[in-house]
Amino acid sequence: MNAASDKLKHARDEFVGQWGALGTQWGINRTMAQIHALLMTSPEPRSTDDVMEELQISRGNAHTNLKELVAWALVRSVVRKGDRREYFEAEKDVWKIFTTVARERKRREIDPALGVLRRCAEESQDIDTPEGRAFYEQMRQLQEFVEFAANMADRVASMKHGFAVQMAARLLG
Amino acid sequence: MNAASDKLKHARDEFVGQWGALGTQWGINRTMAQIHALLMTSPEPRSTDDVMEELQISRGNAHTNLKELVAWALVRSVVRKGDRREYFEAEKDVWKIFTTVARERKRREIDPALGVLRRCAEESQDIDTPEGRAFYEQMRQLQEFVEFAANMADRVASMKHGFAVQMAARLLG
DNA sequence: CATCGATTTCAGTTTTTATTGAAAATCAAA
DNA sequence: TTTGATTTTCAATAAAAACTGAAATCGATG
């Protein structure tokens, strides 16, 4: 019977659609989030044409976002013997997804902020007025905090799942 | 002499501009990030007209983004006796900024994701095929992880600075 | 080295988001 | 109340981001 298959299709469509909407709220483009959702819940790798068909999007769009997901290391491309097409599969282990995202966001969001703060602190360190010193102090505090955050992100990104659970238990217990 | 004042103005402009650019990369609108940067480095609260002047933006834009920052609780409005205008000042304590952002992002990003995952898990829990069970399992694992993240966000958001430093030392040491 | 399926690029278009500026609403003081 | 300063809203516009579709490129195979 096919009720189960229909129900699954419905549930997956729901997930893909909703995940896309969430992505938008997080500043991630909708298509990229949808493809990620689709691949995370696909038992088999999918071709570009598969993805185009499933999400009703153009080739260019599918291509760009698949490559972007590969750049994030959330998706890898696989080749099948005797098939010239490229297939894509998503990492499904949630802890690995998390550490990957942590690493990538550190690189894309935290590190550049650190650069800005360091330069601004440097630039303001010998402005010898009360306002200048206050500005310098603020830069320093932001810098220190972001350095701390960078450090944490590195630690977390390199944690093994087991250790993280253990630490969480200690922290949450 | 005025070299110090010029240098400070230059450094602040640098910071405001760069912070705005970073904001864009993080999916935050540029004006909002710029206003935040400006207020974080202003010794005195600023009026809407102040902000318009400083960033060369329209009244509507300044107004909207100031209110948005107030909604995020990163900025509060203050009244000065004998002055009808509204002034705005930013929270400057980096730890408070962090906990505020953590709380707000949990509410805006994590909680909605949890809703989606719970519904999708619910909807798929009795699809009695291998594919259906795999889908359900994936939803469950994502849900569990996001619940864990929500929990962590709550803990972190309610931490006192001192405790956080202590914990960090333990974690990083 | 010519063919053909597949991938990549990109100019043009659509959609979404941000911004302006002026009109409307608010509100304290005269 | 009326006045005038201030805040708020919002239709119009501008800017940015996402998407399309087709042409160009690539690369394995005969």
Side-chain angles (χ1 to χ4, degrees), chain B residues 24 48 59-60 63 67 84-86:
Chain B
T24 299
T48 302
R59 181 172 306 285
H63 175 79
K67 290 292 144 145
R84 250 156 94 174
R85 271 175 299 180
E86 189 172 17

Side-chain angles (χ1 to χ4, degrees), chain B residues 97-118:
Chain B
I97 294 170
F98 173 66
T99 55
T100 297
V101 171
R103 203 189 317 278
E104 202 64 15
R105 289 179 73 137
K106 190 229 168 208
R107 197 175 68 73
R108 295 177 190 224
E109 299 178 4
I110 300 182
D111 291 346
L114 208 42
V116 169
L117 292 168
R118 282 183 177 144

Side-chain angles (χ1 to χ4, degrees), chain A residues 50-109:
Chain A
D50 247 358
V51 171
M52 289 167 61
E53 164 71 20
E54 197 78 42
L55 304 180
Q56 295 290 303
I57 59 176
S58 72
R59 182 172 306 283
N61 195 11
H63 175 80
T64 305
N65 285 291
L66 280 165
K67 290 293 143 145
E68 188 66 13
L69 282 164
V70 170
W72 271 79
L74 289 168
V75 165
R76 50 188 163 271
S77 82
V78 299
V79 282
R80 285 175 165 178
K81 48 194 167 192
D83 193 336
R84 253 156 91 173
R85 268 174 302 181
E86 190 172 18
Y87 288 79
F88 300 91
E89 72 181 357
E91 174 58 56
K92 291 181 180 172
D93 179 299
V94 289
W95 183 254
K96 280 194 188 155
I97 294 171
F98 173 66
T99 55
T100 297
V101 171
R103 203 188 318 276
E104 202 61 17
R105 289 179 73 137
K106 191 232 168 204
R107 196 176 68 75
R108 295 178 189 224
E109 299 179 2

